[in-house]
Amino acid sequence: PAASSASSPAAAADSVHVFGGNGYGGEFNDLWHFNVTSRAWTLLVAHNESSGVQPSPRQGHAAVATPVGLFVFGGMRRAASLGDAWLFSYAARTFKRVAPTDGTGAAAPAPRSGAAAAYDARTNAVVV
């Protein structure tokens, strides 16, 4: 991957996913996979890929690996905080926009950057 800051690495088993960030030329929305065993990088989704839906370029977002995919929330784009949520499916290798909710119908978190996220296996939920 290109050098960047404010990207979000997320570890799962023997791999690490790195999404987005800020670098030379602006903010990114690419997704990389690093296999810890083989020590090899693989580009999963290119920056501004035209073949599908993906989150806008961003930095300072929260990301966490879940059993089914990589969850991405919020961040910042051109100094504006974002409040959208996305799930990259490991099986389909595509992004899908998801509704951030607590399951009770309560309001989604306000747009933010610099947040953290964690996956709670007990409740099968992502906490931001």
Side-chain angles (χ1 to χ4, degrees), residues 42-84:
T42 303
L43 177 62
L44 298 177
V45 178
H47 175 63
N48 285 332
E49 187 171 288
S50 61
S51 65
V53 176
Q54 73 190 93
S56 62
R58 64 192 61 212
Q59 61 179 313
H61 47 283
V64 64
T66 74
V68 296
L70 179 73
F71 178 84
V72 176
F73 175 78
M76 184 173 286
R77 170 94 197 262
R78 298 185 183 137
S81 292
L82 303 169
D84 53 345

Side-chain angles (χ1 to χ4, degrees), residues 5-26:
S5 63
S7 57
S8 288
D14 66 345
S15 64
V16 177
H17 289 87
V18 178
F19 175 77
N22 187 36
Y24 181 75

Side-chain angles (χ1 to χ4, degrees), residues 88-113:
F88 177 81
S89 166
Y90 299 140
R93 292 187 173 249
T94 57
F95 273 105
K96 177 182 176 184
R97 190 164 181 173
V98 294
T101 178
D102 66 359
T104 66
R112 64 193 66 206
S113 66

